[in-house]
Amino acid sequence: MNPLLSRLQPYPFERLRQLFASVTPPAHLSPISLGMGEPRHATPAFIKDALVAGLGGLASYPATAGEPRLREAFTGWIARRYGLALDPATQVLPVNGSREALFAFAQTTIDPTREGAVVVCPNPFYQIYEGAALLSGATPYYAPSDPARNFAVDWDSVPEAVWQRTQLLFVCSPGNPTGAVMPLPEWEKLFALSDRHGFVIASDECYSEIYFRDEPPLGGLEAAARLGRSDFKNLVSFTSLSKRSNVPGLRSGFVAGDAALLKAYLLYRTYHGSAMGPAVQAASIAAWNDEQHVIDNRAQYRQKFAQVTPLLERVMPVSLPDAGFYLWAQVPEHLGMSDTDFARQLLAQYNVTVLPGSYLAREAHGANPGAQRVRMALVAETAECLEAAQRIVQFIQSPSP
Ligand SMILES: Cc1ncc(COP(=O)(O)O)c(C=O)c1O
């Protein structure tokens, strides 16, 4: 067996199952889950129709690089969203969702024969970054997010000796779970570090289309172009249809950026066998070419967050994020509970599931930056999220009825 497998950590939902194993939630209250970050708005009918209409291609193997029309759909979207002109032949590739793509990218970029390979990632973070780093033979380094600066990652806290060994940096903007969007000066700092130390930046942008400010989140490629880095040297961004178009089951996204990196990545993917099926390609083309459903989806999230956030703000430290579909709330100090106690008792008394923040982060440099926080995914319909928020308010106001 690959000995590196033993270094993988249990997934947060596995830990949640164990935490809840002995809990019997009250039967008179319907269960409401704010736990999983899985989109639950309806999939637009035209995407399903395109999927069915694309079934004709099943009799042949698809190319790993995708059909030209698919690649043009990616670059067309990038042009409309970020005002950038990318070459569909060399600067984009289809992926089967950003999860496998992020994982496979580490396997492509890390050189395990170089002593002491490091992958830097934010803390809290999406657990795939850590697994991708470990299975590539690298060691993850966790850079904490700073609640005092809107959860911006404290890149300055990473020692120079760590940057020197860094081969890959994961950034997540908008962030999961914090919702924080990286501004241009932060990108400038990371590009300078990448130039100095030669590491690659993987920019996870799967929440880019769900935002609450007027201005859409700055993308990594957009930041690079604004700073005169038109070849996107050492930068690849990861974009997904899952959240944008409510199709997590389709498994569809794309990567874009540095053509030299994508050439190596395509070679890796060809061997790994991760071509996108023709029907999924057809549905993806339809989804990327339409923006109205994305505008409507965003409006639904905005309405929901506008109603739910003020309710919770009255009883716990929490605020509207820049983007994403999570509230990253602090457990009120006066309760004297850990984040895991809070989640357990909330389920036991009100049948509402939230995810303890410490499960989404690692203890590193003497602290777990997710401790005393909980993540609430507002993915269900507004009425259900409001009901959950009302129960949480009651729970905080009288935690032991
Ligand atoms: C930060 C982050 N990146 C990537 C993904 C993977 O999304 P997908 O594989 O559906 O594109 C998720 C899913 O929850 C996520 O939260």
Side-chain angles (χ1 to χ4, degrees):
M1 293 293 266
N2 182 343
L4 297 175
L5 283 168
S6 66
R7 295 178 64 192
L8 294 176
Q9 299 279 334
Y11 215 61
F13 296 102
E14 176 57 36
R15 297 177 71 184
L16 196 63
R17 249 193 310 281
Q18 284 169 19
L19 179 72
F20 289 170
S22 59
V23 177
T24 310
H28 69 282
L29 292 172
S30 59
I32 304 181
S33 178
L34 309 181
M36 283 268 265
E38 178 179 72
R40 304 232 293 267
H41 296 173
T43 299
F46 77 90
I47 298 180
K48 295 187 200 169
D49 293 345
L51 186 70
V52 172
L55 291 176
L58 292 180
S60 40
Y61 279 113
T64 308
E67 287 173 33
R69 258 178 15 97
L70 177 66
R71 299 157 70 105
E72 282 155 19
F74 301 153
T75 54
W77 181 79
I78 290 174
R80 292 189 296 280
R81 172 68 168 80
Y82 297 118
L84 303 172
L86 265 66
D87 177 3
T90 59
Q91 291 181 304
V92 287
L93 278 181
V95 295
N96 298 322
S98 46
R99 181 183 185 132
E100 68 86 2
L102 290 158
F103 178 83
F105 193 64
Q107 316 315 308
T108 309
T109 51
I110 298 297
D111 175 358
T113 65
R114 266 168 56 203
E115 190 64 23
V118 168
V119 172
V120 175
C121 70
N123 195 20
F125 58 100
Y126 179 52
Q127 192 156 319
I128 298 302
Y129 309 152
E130 181 187 60
L134 292 170
L135 286 183
S136 71
T139 303
Y141 183 93
Y142 307 100
S145 86
D146 180 0
R149 292 186 301 121
N150 185 34
F151 303 106
V153 177
D154 188 4
W155 304 116
D156 292 337
S157 69
V158 180
E160 185 67 12
V162 171
W163 286 126
Q164 278 168 8
R165 288 185 286 122
T166 300
Q167 294 191 24
L168 177 64
L169 165 67
F170 282 111
V171 301
C172 186
S173 175
N176 171 5
T178 66
V181 170
M182 273 193 9
L184 194 62
E186 218 177 306
W187 278 108
E188 195 166 13
K189 175 185 296 203
L190 295 180
F191 290 143
L193 284 162
S194 162
D195 286 347
R196 188 145 18 108
H197 301 291
F199 61 75
V200 170
I201 302 177
S203 175
D204 180 355
E205 305 179 7
C206 69
Y207 294 96
S208 66
E209 304 316 294
I210 302 167
Y211 53 87
F212 303 100
R213 302 186 171 210
D214 293 340
E215 203 180 302
L218 177 69
L221 301 179
E222 191 184 12
R226 282 201 204 163
L227 296 166
R229 306 170 68 89
S230 53
D231 59 354
F232 311 119
K233 182 167 177 265
N234 274 339
L235 173 67
V236 169
S237 71
F238 294 71
T239 306
S240 170
L241 281 179
S242 300
K243 280 92 177 160
R244 172 190 182 271
S245 299
N246 295 311
V247 286
L250 190 66
R251 310 312 301 130
S252 177
F254 72 84
V255 297
D258 185 328
L261 289 175
L262 292 191
K263 193 169 170 214
Y265 191 47
L266 175 59
L267 176 66
Y268 176 91
R269 298 182 65 75
T270 307
Y271 277 83
H272 194 73
S274 41
M276 182 185 282
V280 175
Q281 293 200 40
S284 304
I285 292 168
W288 289 114
N289 285 338
D290 181 81
E291 212 50 40
Q292 190 55 50
H293 75 285
V294 185
I295 295 169
D296 297 343
N297 188 36
R298 186 159 53 240
Q300 271 191 69
Y301 280 113
R302 286 183 165 200
Q303 189 217 30
K304 184 165 27 186
F305 274 72
Q307 292 185 45
V308 173
T309 317
L311 274 182
L312 293 172
E313 259 170 349
R314 276 192 247 132
V315 293
M316 67 198 308
V318 64
S319 52
L320 187 68
D322 295 340
F325 50 47
Y326 303 109
L327 289 176
W328 183 231
Q330 201 179 325
V331 175
E333 264 177 42
H334 68 85
L335 295 181
M337 287 180 195
S338 67
D339 52 327
T340 46
D341 290 342
F342 183 92
R344 222 167 160 270
Q345 293 196 33
L346 179 65
L347 182 75
Q349 292 172 37
Y350 288 94
N351 213 348
V352 173
T353 298
V354 297
L355 194 59
S358 56
Y359 290 3
L360 293 164
R362 284 287 166 262
E363 173 94 25
H365 328 298
N368 180 324
Q372 300 305 113
R373 294 196 168 269
V374 288
R375 191 189 78 176
M376 306 174 191
L378 301 192
V379 287
E381 296 302 330
T382 302
E384 201 177 324
C385 290
L386 272 174
E387 166 71 24
Q390 276 149 3
R391 292 189 204 171
I392 292 169
V393 170
Q394 278 179 33
F395 171 66
I396 290 175
Q397 285 174 342
S398 54
S400 18

